[in-house]
Amino acid sequence: MEKADLEELKEKVPCAAVLEHLGFAFDRKESTRKAMKYRRAAAIIIVIHDGKGWFDPLSDGKGDVFRLVEHLEGVPFVEAMNEVACLVGFVPAENVWDRETRDRETDLSVPERWQARRKPWRGSATWRYLSDTRRLPEPVLRAAIAADILREGPHGSMWAAHGDADGAITGWEERGPDWRGFATGGGKVLFRLGRPGALRFCVTEAAIDAMSLAAFEGLRPDTLYLSTGGGWSLATYAAIRALAVRPGGQLIAATDNNKQGDVYAGRLLALAEEAGCFGERLRPMADDWNADLKAKEEARGKEGGKPTAACPPAASRVKLRPAAPALDPPGRRGGCGGGGVRKG
């Protein structure tokens, strides 16, 4: 078959048609407009690129509709092509996944799924995404890999571990060129980069921002770089408070430079006051720390590789002291939300 014919065949048969034909069902609740999740027992396929592409979050499988048949049926390309051709005109009925049947699944546990993935290595797809696209320097990447908090996600994405105080994996942030989410069935607590016994705690909203701030600060040995993954659950609140009550602790609200970031900062500074801990608002110049890091690297490139400042200008570093009452844990009434702060 000519290449033009193959392209025409791909246009006529969406990945959803293959998946429904093979017994997959659409998981509407865990899908977005750009990433549609399909399930069959323990198998999961994410359909992207307006139905023309896909990837398997539990393996490295990805590609077009022909690769999808090869992946699921274990057949060579010629057989896959013939099977796709038989589906021309097939209209998916969008069978919806029945969550009540999940007790019959044999899904791996969250820690088992984490251990099944490889750590990034120099030149791997995840390494290239973090190094080339996100501009994270090698020392930070190697520190995170040595701490066992990064994994190769599917489709060139990154998995960044969330864990409890004992180091148990509770879930992971998923971030890549075409994907953003959190581990299905996992729980947000904290992403942690740095020495466990550190007394300075920089809290960001994303693992990539935590690593970007670590790059700015040269991985300060007295600092734990943390990410909430954009969440504020009871587990996250308890984990941050357990750090803040350490004698001599410093809680740094290094959240995004926007309204939501200010809300998070208000909560963190109120928690610091409650715990009797020093609190400070550290604000990026752009929207987030990774945007600052990329801007810094671009500026260095224009200056012919000349060194630039390790940190953003001092004007972005503002000490604050909460004026509101102590923050209630999530789920309780009251709390300061994002207001009630003043310069100290």
Side-chain angles (χ1 to χ4, degrees):
M1 184 176 287
E2 297 293 333
K3 183 177 180 181
D5 296 328
L6 289 175
E7 292 300 321
E8 182 179 358
L9 186 55
K10 284 196 293 185
E11 288 295 321
K12 290 181 178 180
V13 182
C15 291
V18 170
L19 292 169
E20 186 161 319
H21 177 69
L22 295 178
F24 280 76
F26 178 53
D27 190 340
R28 189 189 304 277
K29 186 174 181 180
E30 295 194 8
S31 296
T32 66
R33 184 175 61 85
K34 293 185 177 180
M36 297 175 290
K37 179 178 285 188
Y38 286 80
R39 295 178 178 273
R40 184 184 65 185
I44 297 174
I45 297 293
I46 309 295
V47 175
I48 55 177
H49 301 320
D50 295 323
K52 303 304 180 185
W54 63 276
F55 67 87
D56 182 344
L58 302 180
S59 76
D60 291 323
K62 61 181 179 179
D64 59 20
V65 67
F66 301 121
R67 296 297 182 190
L68 179 58
V69 175
E70 289 179 305
H71 178 72
L72 295 175
E73 297 284 84
V75 297
F77 178 77
V78 173
E79 289 186 39
M81 180 184 64
N82 290 333
E83 187 161 337
V84 170
C86 290
L87 291 174
V88 173
F90 179 85
V91 179
E94 198 177 275
N95 294 325
V96 178
W97 177 255
D98 182 3
R99 293 186 171 273
E100 293 181 357
T101 65
R102 291 199 70 181
D103 58 350
R104 298 194 296 269
E105 292 183 14
T106 57
D107 284 346
L108 297 175
S109 68
V110 167
E112 288 171 336
R113 284 157 55 201
W114 174 261
Q115 291 301 330
R117 306 296 302 191
R118 296 181 65 181
K119 295 181 181 180
W121 65 96
R122 186 177 178 84
S124 71
T126 297
W127 181 288
R128 293 196 304 272
Y129 167 66
L130 294 174
S131 177
D132 299 344
T133 304
R134 293 295 186 166
R135 308 303 293 267
L136 292 170
E138 184 168 335
V140 171
L141 293 180
R142 293 206 177 277
I145 293 167
D148 199 24
I149 53 176
L150 289 184
R151 284 290 190 272
E152 288 273 325
H155 208 55
S157 65
M158 167 207 76
W159 286 7
H162 275 227
D164 59 22
D166 297 323
I169 301 296
T170 62
W172 50 85
E173 297 176 38
E174 300 175 350
R175 186 66 65 89
D178 300 305
W179 179 248
R180 174 179 180 177
F182 197 82
T184 302
K188 291 182 181 180
V189 183
L190 284 176
F191 168 85
R192 307 166 190 249
L193 173 62
R195 296 182 181 179
L199 293 177
R200 181 172 177 265
F201 318 113
C202 289
V203 183
T204 68
E205 298 174 55
I208 285 177
D209 287 322
M211 291 187 285
S212 298
L213 180 56
F216 271 118
E217 297 191 338
L219 279 167
R220 284 177 52 163
D222 65 342
T223 299
L224 261 177
Y225 298 94
L226 309 170
S227 166
T228 65
W232 189 260
S233 64
L234 279 169
T236 299
Y237 170 89
I240 296 174
R241 193 180 191 286
L243 296 172
V245 297
R246 292 179 182 178
Q250 302 177 44
L251 187 58
I252 313 300
T255 50
D256 292 352
N257 186 16
N258 54 34
K259 185 176 181 180
Q260 177 177 295
D262 289 340
V263 169
Y264 276 107
R267 292 173 177 173
L268 290 164
L269 293 168
L271 191 156
E273 183 182 52
E274 177 190 77
C277 172
F278 172 84
E280 181 182 359
R281 172 70 158 121
L282 189 59
R283 189 189 301 270
M285 299 296 291
D287 191 62
D288 58 46
W289 293 106
N290 190 244
D292 276 7
L293 182 64
K294 289 190 286 188
K296 169 178 174 281
E297 292 302 317
E298 289 171 5
R300 176 156 56 185
K302 292 178 181 178
E303 295 174 7
K306 295 179 182 179
T308 57
C311 292
S316 68
R317 186 186 300 267
V318 180
K319 295 181 182 179
L320 300 172
R321 182 171 64 252
L327 176 69
D328 287 331
R332 290 177 53 186
R333 300 183 65 182
C336 74
V341 294
R342 59 188 177 88
K343 294 183 182 180

